[in-house]
Amino acid sequence: KVLGWLADDLGFLLTDQEKASLNDAVRNRDIKAYLEWSEVRGLQSMRPDDASIATLRARYQLATLLKKFRFPSDRLARERAATDKFLQCEERCEYFNREGWKELAWAEEDWMVNVFTYAKQFLQQLLGSALPSATALTEWSRHGPGATLDTVNQRCSLYDKHISWPYSVTVDAYRYARYVIETDARWFDALRRNYRRKKSLSWDYPLDMKRFWADVLKVVDGNRITFVPKDAKIERSIAIEPTMNLYLQLGVDGFIRRRLKRWDVDLDDQKRNQRMARLGSRDLSPYSPVTVDLAGASDTVSLRLCELLLPKDWYSYLLSLRSPVGILRGEKISYEKISSMGNGYTFALESAIFAAVCFAVQKATDGNYRKEDIAIYGDDLIIPRRLFSRTRLALERCGFAINVEKSFTSGYIRESCGTDWLRGFPMRPVFFKETPTTID
């Protein structure tokens, strides 16, 4: 109904054929027809010389209003599509781990050899060649706001996560979990008092610490794979991590985030990407910013790539904190990637790797770094147009793939971090993700 009303209001900006096709889909409640209609009217289809800004905005708004709406009847189909995409990404990682890495490590082009070298140097400078102290590594460790393997009835508060033991943890992360608990005096003391109370032990009774830790920390194989909303066609696969793994992973996230800010990569603020995307939509010079998006980026950071690029100690530490396997509908899957969405350090780590590649291409091409020319936020990358061809090839050699539907490297359209631009004009539409109940 809302789509129909909006189509009536904006109909004067559409052609007769566009109005007829859209009205037929609305009248017949034909979801498939609407999605087909919308596919050819997205950002990539815009031709600013053929229509006014108002007309392009109207088409884009109508085409995307329900793009992210999760139609109840299509839930299973969306989950199947998400499962297929997840498995395809695992296959890509498996290929890179087995064969694909050779194209990067054994590159013949001089500039690509330099990119590989500079990317390693960048990450070594960013993280440090050796691990920092345990105190520095866990300084930013914390419980996140989302669910873990121990979450019951969606109770995800900080209190619930502290009080709900035994805490799940993988075998390789076990010793680090003990460390962060033992070095947090308030947590450790409260945990022992709570343990005595639950076990009906007197306050002066000496604890058997071997038994204590066996009861407090529960070793699990890995995480659980599930699905969350994405858009009308597909769900997003994520993993629910063991409680203590996630706690430690978020410590890595905090460490990397603060180091990246030295390179003007601020994962706490999207404004830099948004501003540069707007500037890029107004300029077609070789130095103009272009926006690049990667397909399945979080699910294609392969183990071998991390082994090749990261300092050895850091790679080992990240392996200890990750979930080596995921459970999908009762089936155990051994991950070929370093981490899945849901892992606390995935976003920061992928941002660091993409930054390393982009800055390495810049240095291999120009001989120096220019931080003001590059912006990174996850897999939302902004680079000068003249570096796109080399950056694309370098990313592909690392096992990644460009998302051509969401990358804008020519013309006057740019998209980054939730903003869409055409010649400097904002084009971002309104999305309905659920049925509206009020006008607020």
Side-chain angles (χ1 to χ4, degrees), residues 59 78 129 171 175 216 241 248 252 273 296 300 316 362 366 370 414:
R59 289 175 182 167
R78 289 195 301 270
S129 56
V171 64
R175 62 190 178 105
V216 167
E241 290 286 319
L248 292 160
V252 174
N273 278 64
T300 50
S316 297
Q362 183 186 56
D366 299 339
R370 285 176 52 85
R414 299 289 182 271

Side-chain angles (χ1 to χ4, degrees), residues 366-382:
D366 299 339
N368 64 325
Y369 296 121
R370 285 176 52 85
K371 292 188 285 187
E372 61 270 26
D373 290 345
I374 291 174
I376 308 290
Y377 191 88
D379 68 337
D380 273 344
L381 318 180
I382 297 184

Side-chain angles (χ1 to χ4, degrees), residues 210-228:
K210 183 176 181 180
R211 177 68 179 272
F212 171 83
W213 286 115
D215 290 338
V216 167
L217 294 177
K218 174 181 61 179
V219 176
V220 296
D221 292 332
N223 57 34
R224 184 174 75 249
I225 302 165
T226 186
F227 303 95
V228 295

Side-chain angles (χ1 to χ4, degrees), residues 98-110:
R98 177 171 42 86
E99 294 288 340
W101 65 274
K102 298 174 185 177
E103 292 189 47
L104 175 65
W106 299 348
E108 296 181 356
E109 309 96 326
D110 289 341

Side-chain angles (χ1 to χ4, degrees), residues 89-101:
C89 289
E90 280 297 297
E91 289 176 1
R92 283 171 54 188
C93 288
E94 190 276 334
Y95 172 76
F96 187 88
N97 292 337
R98 177 171 42 86
E99 294 288 340
W101 65 274

Side-chain angles (χ1 to χ4, degrees), residues 267-425:
L267 301 185
D268 300 313
D269 190 353
Q270 299 178 332
K271 292 186 181 66
R272 175 178 168 82
N273 278 64
Q274 295 168 346
R275 182 176 66 255
M276 290 183 67
R278 179 175 180 269
L279 292 173
S281 72
R282 302 169 60 182
D283 182 10
L284 296 184
S285 74
Y287 296 88
S288 167
V290 298
T291 57
V292 180
D293 187 85
L294 300 179
S298 300
D299 283 326
T300 50
V301 183
S302 63
L303 284 166
R304 182 57 66 90
L305 178 67
C306 292
E307 184 180 13
L308 289 172
L309 295 182
L310 295 173
K312 183 178 179 180
D313 288 350
W314 269 99
Y315 178 63
S316 297
Y317 183 61
L318 294 178
L319 285 183
S320 298
L321 303 191
R322 73 190 279 264
S323 288
V325 301
I327 308 301
L328 177 61
R329 301 190 182 93
E331 180 183 355
K332 188 181 295 186
I333 297 174
S334 295
Y335 287 123
E336 297 286 343
K337 53 178 167 280
I338 185 69
S339 61
S340 52
M341 292 186 66
N343 178 304
Y345 63 62
T346 293
F347 183 70
L349 178 63
E350 69 174 359
S351 298
I353 289 174
F354 299 145
V357 174
C358 291
F359 280 114
V361 170
Q362 183 186 56
K363 186 172 183 180
T365 303
D366 299 339
N368 64 325
Y369 296 121
R370 285 176 52 85
K371 292 188 285 187
E372 61 270 26
D373 290 345
I374 291 174
I376 308 290
Y377 191 88
D379 68 337
D380 273 344
L381 318 180
I382 297 184
I383 57 175
R385 181 197 306 276
R386 63 191 180 84
L387 297 181
F388 172 68
S389 295
R390 283 191 168 188
T391 304
R392 177 174 188 163
L393 182 57
L395 289 167
E396 289 174 347
R397 292 283 179 89
C398 291
F400 303 113
I402 300 295
N403 183 346
V404 294
E405 292 184 3
K406 296 183 67 179
S407 296
F408 298 90
T409 58
S410 61
Y412 290 97
I413 300 170
R414 299 289 182 271
E415 184 273 335
S416 185
C417 291
T419 58
D420 304 329
W421 305 95
L422 173 60
R423 294 186 184 273
F425 292 97

